[in-house]
Structure formats: structure tokens, C-alpha cells
Amino acid sequence: MFIAASDAAAVQSGLTSTIECLMIGVPIVVVPLANHWEQANTARYVSEKFGVKKINADQVTAAVLAGALLELLNQPGRPASHFRGDGHVAAARAIAEVLNL
């Protein structure tokens, strides 16, 4: 829910968080944990396949991360979802209804 309301996000490249952002069209910067195969592989894949900005853990600083996020925020509009179907929309509506939003 919070990710959907965000203008951009920085994630550690866990598969679930990364795919959620791609599904709902939230621009992301991925920063995989050092020496973590799953996160490194996910970051590499989404960087190559979807053009997601990747910053390696040994290169991340506050200035580098802020610059990458500002770059995303300065882009006009949100990207369209990279996935077909609307299951994520139905799930978000159901959650919002339960939470009375």
C-alpha cells in the first residue's frame, strides 16, 4: 500500500518488493545486498530487462542514492506496469476496502 502511494522507491532487490514496484509502475532504484546471490541476480535482471537503475552496495552513498532518486522524480509521469493483468489492482482495492480507505 505504501509503495503504491510513493513517487519512487529504493529497494534492496528482494524479488517481492522489486516485482511489486514493477507491477504498479513505481520507479525504483535497486541496491542489492553485498554477497547476496538472489538480490544480485534480481537486480541484474531488472536492470537489463526493464532499465531499472542499479547501485552496487559498495558504491552506495547518501549522495549517490539521492541523485538516483532525484533522477527518477524528475522524469515526467509514472511508467506503465510491465505486467499484463489487473490482479494487483484488484488486490489493492480489496485491501483499501478492508482498511476503509
Side-chain angles (χ1 to χ4, degrees), residues 14-52:
L15 187 59
T16 302
S17 298
T18 303
I19 296 303
E20 283 178 3
C21 290
L22 290 172
M23 286 183 70
I24 58 180
V26 172
I28 56 173
V29 174
V30 293
V31 184
L33 291 172
N35 303 314
H36 192 289
W37 181 87
E38 181 232 346
Q39 290 190 6
N41 192 50
T42 299
R44 180 196 52 77
Y45 179 78
V46 297
S47 178
E48 292 173 3
K49 178 84 172 169
F50 303 111
V52 168

Side-chain angles (χ1 to χ4, degrees), residues 5 8 16 23-24 26 30 40 42-43 46 49-50 53 60 64 70 72-74 81 87 89 96 100:
T16 302
M23 286 183 70
I24 58 180
V26 172
V30 293
T42 299
V46 297
K49 178 84 172 169
F50 303 111
K53 172 78 172 173
V60 73
V64 168
L70 282 173
L72 290 178
L73 293 171
N74 285 325
S81 172
V89 174
N100 296 318

